[in-house]
Amino acid sequence: VLKGRLDLWRRSAWSERPFRTVVRSRLERVIVCSWERSRGRMSLSTEESKLGLTQFEAFPNIRLLHMKFNPKVSFWAAAIIWGFIAFTSGRKKESYNEFTSWGDWVGDEWSWFYIGSQDIWVFVLLYVCFSKYGALKLGHDDEQPEFSRLSWFAMLFAAGVGVGLFYYGVAEPMWHYNGQGRWNELNDNDRAQHALMVTYFHWGFHGWIPYTTIGALVGLIAFRRGYPTTMRSCFQPLLGDNVLRGPIGDAIDVVSICCTLFGVCTSLGLGVQQLNQALVRLDRGTYMGINQREEGRLDITYSTKAQISIIWVVTACATASVVSGLGNGIKLLSNAVFVAGNFLVFFVLFSGDTVFILNAICSSFGYYLWYLPKIAWHTDAFELLDELGNADLGISGAPDGRGGSPTWMGAWTIFYWGWWISWAPFVGTFIAKISRGRTLREFILGTLIIPTLYCVWWFGVFGAEGLRLDREAAASGIDCSGSAFSSHRSTRMAGTFSAKHNQAYKVRLWCLGTEDILFDTLSSYGSRTLMYATSTITSICLLFYFVTSSDSGSLVIDSLAANGDEDPPVLQRIFWAVTEGAAATALLATGKETSLRALQSVSIVCGLPYTFFLCYMCYALVLVCKEEMGDISATRNQFRTQLLEFPSYMFKDGLGAGLVAFLANSVFPFVAIKRIMAKCAATKGTAPETFPYIFAAILWLAAIVFLALCPIEANLRMLSATCYVFFTCFTCWARHQTRDALNCERGDIFTDYIAGLILFPFVLQHCETELAYGPIIPVDVKDVKEVEMLVEKKDVEEKAADLEKA
């Protein structure tokens, strides 16, 4: 009965898009949920889940060749990624120039946004964690965590930072200590401590903030409310259920897939270079910079071709792991490589100067906590003056020439923030899945504090020991003009408890390539045999971290492309794993010397749009917490049409009329603002105000005039932009008045302003359309209960009839 009524409802005039009110949408959803639950196809245990959008209700998946995917999201994501692969493969030099120019532009123009947004997210997470909202569970109130805390942390670590720790463990503090001509005002000891502090900053709290933000939001939305585990679901508290079906939601998921894939590719590209170097050293028996066998037994070379081969071996292993499932694949690999990595850390701790390392960690960590409020907001503003075209200030952006390099911020902090953020959709979704059943407070503290402490421990051990080795070699007169190694010394035991030497040789690590620094640090503690052992363990860790990252990334991308399906078909998983490998291959193929820069630039560029998304996700996190605690209603009213779904409101009166109205709003927007204000006043029963309309007209006409006169005076275009920015305030005000008149409770003034700044003709026409439909009817929970009772009664009657028939 209900299903027939629903079909009739869909075919009736109520199903026409302009008339689909919130009541109709929500009642239809409840009928569908109730019908599916009565048929045994879904199980929802809480009232919140009953009122939420379930997975099968998202944009319908297409089933083709045993695959199940969202056609719009999958097509556009695949088209963008494979278009990128084709462009990069066909035009290596041109693509490299494009990527680096984009990366430089983001680093120069958007440093303030990258840096400032991270700090704002910190305050949001701390507020949620230590308020009453911290008691909320990522799941139903009676759920328990699936994984133990040790396995949970190992999986966090392996998925989030594994490859980077090996690549930068010794190298990054070395670069900050010796390179770029920064912090020259400090003495050598202070500069070494500052180098460790900057490394902690790049791998500490701020790096994990994007993961934690998305993970907390996905956990609440998906596991507590029953929404799909997609990025579009994260915007439901802000934009309502419309985002789950329309173009805005599709665009969010497409950008999420692209960011995830390119973020994983960056890690694969960085790590494969180090793994390639490890295989070359093992094959040739490289020790103290000298090859025991020049050609090697397997003739492995450090080349782009070899690295591409490794990428495809890793892709094949990751595909096999993805097919095996989350529990069998990722958990086992995470635990194995976590233990092996800790083995190397303790080996360096005990083989090196143990007391010095512990002292350095204690001192530099305290320095990091003390310096964090300053460096967290530092943007290299004055250094970037030279990069932004102020050539008179010299290469350091300072008149005295004592400033830092203008390229440092883009090469390090901005690259890291872009890298972390581009990984956020993947790692955030992944850690949400493995954290189901934990409280929000435990999740935030666990994913912020514990990983930060572990990264401090890792970089403190490797970084401090690397700095000690390099400083000792420099003090011995070893420099980069000749060999970076001293003569060999015996490390055999000299007595019962002492060795002849604790170190086989001294090495000037600063003179070595980034891929060699870690291996020469490990092999300096003993003979060639020990070198083979430590290099083999490191290579295995790198390989497993590759597989784990690719495994997890492919699984999350599959899920996003299939509307949050927890178990997408195998063919689909294979497709995205292969796409991942192809994108990494294309980036590596730009050239042996340029691939690293290309990888960094792609991460920086991909992270920029997602930084905007994360700002909104922080706001959504606060809203969903308030909804769950009953501070605000989860069924707040929303607009009946979407801003970007323009055909539904632009062409409701015909194509010609819609285009004429759109052009009129584009040329004379202040007239539309006047109409909107008049309709809002009529709806509320008040007199319309003329003051906003007059000021909007003055600002708009002034912007046009100044723009037309800019050939005479160049900076008139800036005055035109200023007028337009202030004019947008009135567009925003008109949209806000529309919300107030229609009793639309979802939305915020900041989003209204951004929409008006970029899409003011659409905003104005959208407001007029919504006003024409009349006030929004609020959701009546009694209607929901009546439908639930009707379904339960019908279910009992059907069971009785079936029993009687049997």
Side-chain angles (χ1 to χ4, degrees), residues 581-662:
T585 298
L587 286 170
L588 286 172
T590 56
K592 181 178 178 181
E593 302 297 330
T594 59
S595 58
L596 177 60
R597 182 80 188 281
L599 291 165
Q600 291 176 328
S601 299
V602 168
S603 283
I604 292 172
V605 173
C606 286
L608 179 61
Y610 229 83
T611 304
F612 287 94
F613 286 3
L614 275 161
C615 290
Y616 278 102
M617 287 179 177
C618 277
Y619 182 37
L621 177 61
V622 175
L623 287 179
V624 76
C625 287
K626 290 184 176 182
E627 290 174 358
E628 290 297 320
M629 296 298 288
D631 295 345
I632 58 177
S633 173
T635 58
R636 300 188 306 282
N637 292 338
Q638 63 190 54
F639 281 138
R640 289 151 291 197
T641 55
Q642 292 191 56
L643 179 62
L644 293 183
E645 203 169 1
F646 53 88
S648 64
Y649 59 85
M650 278 186 59
F651 307 136
K652 61 183 176 64
D653 298 324
L655 179 62
L659 289 177
V660 170
F662 178 78

Side-chain angles (χ1 to χ4, degrees), residues 606-793:
C606 286
L608 179 61
Y610 229 83
T611 304
F612 287 94
F613 286 3
L614 275 161
C615 290
Y616 278 102
M617 287 179 177
C618 277
Y619 182 37
L621 177 61
V622 175
L623 287 179
V624 76
C625 287
K626 290 184 176 182
E627 290 174 358
E628 290 297 320
M629 296 298 288
D631 295 345
I632 58 177
S633 173
T635 58
R636 300 188 306 282
N637 292 338
Q638 63 190 54
F639 281 138
R640 289 151 291 197
T641 55
Q642 292 191 56
L643 179 62
L644 293 183
E645 203 169 1
F646 53 88
S648 64
Y649 59 85
M650 278 186 59
F651 307 136
K652 61 183 176 64
D653 298 324
L655 179 62
L659 289 177
V660 170
F662 178 78
L663 291 175
N665 289 344
S666 301
V667 179
F668 303 109
F670 51 88
V671 177
I673 291 176
K674 180 181 180 181
R675 290 197 302 266
I676 292 170
M677 291 190 299
K679 291 179 182 178
C680 290
T683 303
K684 292 186 288 186
T686 60
E689 299 181 33
T690 57
F691 146 78
Y693 158 72
I694 295 173
F695 269 85
I698 293 173
L699 289 169
W700 175 257
L701 294 175
I704 298 297
V705 171
F706 289 143
L707 187 62
L709 295 176
C710 69
I712 301 174
E713 177 63 53
N715 277 333
L716 284 177
R717 70 190 193 279
M718 302 305 175
L719 194 57
S720 173
T722 304
C723 291
Y724 177 71
V725 166
F726 278 89
F727 163 78
T728 304
C729 295
F730 292 96
T731 307
C732 170
W733 182 84
R735 187 170 173 85
H736 178 72
Q737 290 296 310
T738 303
R739 292 183 188 279
D740 187 46
L742 298 180
N743 193 30
C744 179
E745 299 168 309
R746 290 190 190 271
D748 59 274
I749 196 74
F750 179 75
T751 304
D752 291 342
Y753 183 85
I754 296 298
L757 186 68
I758 303 172
L759 303 168
F760 72 90
F762 294 98
V763 169
L764 296 174
Q765 200 153 351
H766 185 239
C767 290
E768 290 192 84
T769 303
E770 287 288 339
L771 286 167
Y773 293 156
I776 300 173
I777 305 173
V779 177
D780 190 350
V781 181
K782 292 182 180 179
D783 293 335
V784 174
K785 298 297 183 182
E786 288 178 5
V787 173
E788 291 289 333
M789 293 173 61
L790 182 60
V791 170
E792 291 176 5
K793 180 180 178 182

Side-chain angles (χ1 to χ4, degrees), residues 515-572:
E515 295 81 9
D516 286 306
I517 290 178
L518 174 62
F519 298 106
D520 279 306
T521 299
L522 294 172
S523 60
S524 69
Y525 298 118
S527 63
R528 191 184 299 273
T529 303
L530 186 62
M531 177 274 294
Y532 278 118
T534 56
S535 296
T536 300
I537 295 173
T538 304
S539 302
I540 292 173
C541 287
L542 283 171
L543 177 62
F544 280 2
Y545 277 128
F546 280 157
V547 175
T548 302
S549 299
S550 183
D551 180 333
S552 307
S554 299
L555 190 60
V556 170
I557 291 174
D558 296 341
S559 181
L560 290 174
N563 290 323
D565 194 326
E566 297 289 340
D567 188 26
V570 173
L571 282 176
Q572 196 168 311

Side-chain angles (χ1 to χ4, degrees), residues 3-19:
K3 191 172 187 301
R5 185 179 302 170
L6 180 60
D7 292 338
L8 179 63
W9 203 354
R10 283 173 171 161
R11 290 194 299 269
S12 68
W14 280 98
S15 65
E16 294 179 15
R17 183 57 172 161
F19 300 100

Side-chain angles (χ1 to χ4, degrees), residues 134-316:
L136 291 171
K137 271 197 173 184
L138 305 186
H140 303 312
D141 292 333
D142 57 349
E143 282 194 66
Q144 297 300 318
E146 179 182 357
F147 302 101
S148 67
R149 286 186 176 175
L150 180 61
S151 295
W152 179 54
F153 173 61
M155 295 167 78
L156 290 175
F157 168 75
V161 295
V163 172
L165 292 184
F166 283 86
Y167 189 83
Y168 287 109
V170 184
E172 182 173 351
M174 190 68 54
W175 274 95
H176 297 325
Y177 176 70
N178 287 299
Q180 302 283 345
R182 294 184 72 87
W183 309 300
N184 291 326
E185 75 280 3
L186 303 175
N187 61 49
D188 284 352
N189 291 342
D190 289 340
R191 195 165 71 252
Q193 182 163 267
H194 201 84
L196 288 173
M197 181 275 299
V198 173
T199 306
Y200 297 162
F201 171 60
H202 288 155
W203 292 86
F205 298 111
H206 285 71
W208 286 85
I209 289 168
Y211 299 173
T212 304
T213 302
I214 292 184
L217 188 54
V218 168
L220 292 173
I221 289 288
F223 306 138
R224 192 171 180 88
R225 291 191 171 185
Y227 284 80
T229 52
T230 60
M231 292 300 102
R232 72 172 71 198
S233 300
C234 296
F235 290 80
Q236 191 276 337
L238 283 171
L239 305 177
D241 290 346
N242 283 339
V243 74
L244 300 163
R245 294 184 175 90
I248 296 178
D250 292 335
I252 290 169
D253 281 346
V254 168
V255 174
S256 300
I257 289 174
C258 293
C259 279
T260 298
L261 189 134
F262 289 126
V264 173
C265 286
T266 300
S267 297
L268 294 178
L270 293 176
V272 76
Q273 296 176 5
Q274 191 168 28
L275 182 57
N276 185 193
Q277 187 66 24
L279 296 176
V280 171
R281 293 173 65 96
L282 289 171
D283 186 42
R284 299 180 181 180
T286 305
Y287 183 69
M288 293 181 60
I290 301 173
N291 296 328
Q292 188 179 25
R293 298 172 296 276
E294 285 301 326
E295 297 298 327
R297 292 173 179 170
L298 302 177
D299 196 22
I300 300 175
T301 60
Y302 183 81
S303 63
T304 301
K305 182 178 179 181
Q307 292 164 16
I308 291 174
S309 300
I310 296 171
I311 283 287
W312 286 105
V313 170
V314 170
T315 300

